Amino acid sequence: MLTALGAAVIAAVASLVGVTLGALLEPLKLNAARRAKLRQDRADRCAGLIEAATRARKHIVDINVIHRRRQLHEEAETDAQREIEFDDAYYTARTEMRAFYGLLVMSGPDELVEQANVLRRKEMELHHTRWELDDDGKFDRRFLPTPVREASAAFDRAIEEFALVARKHTS
């Protein structure tokens, strides 16, 4: 009889300890889950910003190529339609960049926001070069005009630097 009573007491104490530990650990688990969700949201926003920036870069270069062809009267009939499509796609990507930037400003951290702001400035610098013409006045699709090439390289570096900071804050 004493053994059955002892087993019941041990089971009750173990149950009480288990419930108490569960109650104490629950806030820790919720906090860990909240931090994991925040990191995942931040990672999604950073990835979205990088993808939108990459698309914006591509479309700016495409717009520049069509503009240079038009200036040298090498315009194909489909260029006007393609330019409209590239322009629309560029402004869509730019809008996505602004949206992701706003979400990053809202959630932080400041280092990531500062790097995203650098990325946006470099995108604007590239945007201002979209009407640049070839240095020698001859169209060659393989080579971008010097200002476009330099702004594009700076934008690429800004994307890479943003990705490095994002990795630090999302992993």
Side-chain angles (χ1 to χ4, degrees), residues 25-88:
L25 293 178
E26 190 63 28
L28 296 174
K29 290 192 309 188
L30 289 174
N31 195 18
R34 190 173 21 253
R35 281 194 316 269
K37 172 108 174 74
L38 178 66
R39 272 189 197 277
Q40 185 60 50
D41 288 347
R42 188 178 296 147
D44 292 343
R45 291 169 183 168
C46 291
L49 182 60
I50 290 168
E51 290 171 3
T54 304
R55 281 195 319 274
R57 180 200 174 283
K58 176 201 176 303
H59 294 307
I60 290 172
V61 170
D62 289 339
I63 290 168
N64 178 263
V65 168
I66 289 174
H67 174 72
R68 290 185 296 140
R69 286 178 62 179
R70 183 179 330 126
Q71 292 302 314
L72 296 174
H73 307 292
E74 294 182 16
E75 183 176 7
E77 296 166 4
T78 59
D79 280 354
Q81 179 61 31
R82 290 182 67 212
E83 183 177 15
I84 292 170
E85 291 170 6
F86 291 146
D87 210 38
D88 287 346

Side-chain angles (χ1 to χ4, degrees), residues 64-151:
N64 178 263
V65 168
I66 289 174
H67 174 72
R68 290 185 296 140
R69 286 178 62 179
R70 183 179 330 126
Q71 292 302 314
L72 296 174
H73 307 292
E74 294 182 16
E75 183 176 7
E77 296 166 4
T78 59
D79 280 354
Q81 179 61 31
R82 290 182 67 212
E83 183 177 15
I84 292 170
E85 291 170 6
F86 291 146
D87 210 38
D88 287 346
Y90 166 65
Y91 282 106
T92 299
R94 198 170 185 200
T95 300
E96 289 175 12
M97 282 181 64
R98 272 193 230 111
F100 285 119
Y101 174 75
L103 291 171
L104 286 173
V105 168
M106 186 175 72
S107 65
D110 291 340
E111 182 184 14
L112 191 59
V113 173
E114 289 170 14
Q115 197 61 46
N117 200 20
V118 169
L119 180 66
R120 290 182 67 214
R121 280 197 309 271
K122 294 299 180 183
E123 183 272 328
M124 275 308 290
E125 290 173 14
L126 180 59
H127 172 80
H128 290 302
T129 66
R130 71 189 185 282
W131 306 127
E132 292 290 331
L133 298 175
D134 293 292
D135 301 330
D136 58 0
K138 298 177 184 172
F139 175 74
D140 188 349
R141 187 180 182 103
R142 295 173 297 166
F143 301 105
L144 292 171
T146 303
V148 178
R149 188 175 57 247
E150 290 171 355

Side-chain angles (χ1 to χ4, degrees), residues 147-162:
V148 178
R149 188 175 57 247
E150 290 171 355
S152 179
F155 189 40
D156 285 342
R157 280 191 305 277
I159 291 171
E160 291 169 9
E161 291 167 5
F162 175 78

Side-chain angles (χ1 to χ4, degrees), residues 10-29:
I10 291 172
V13 169
S15 177
L16 182 61
V17 168
V19 168
T20 305
L21 279 176
L24 292 174
L25 293 178
E26 190 63 28
L28 296 174
K29 290 192 309 188

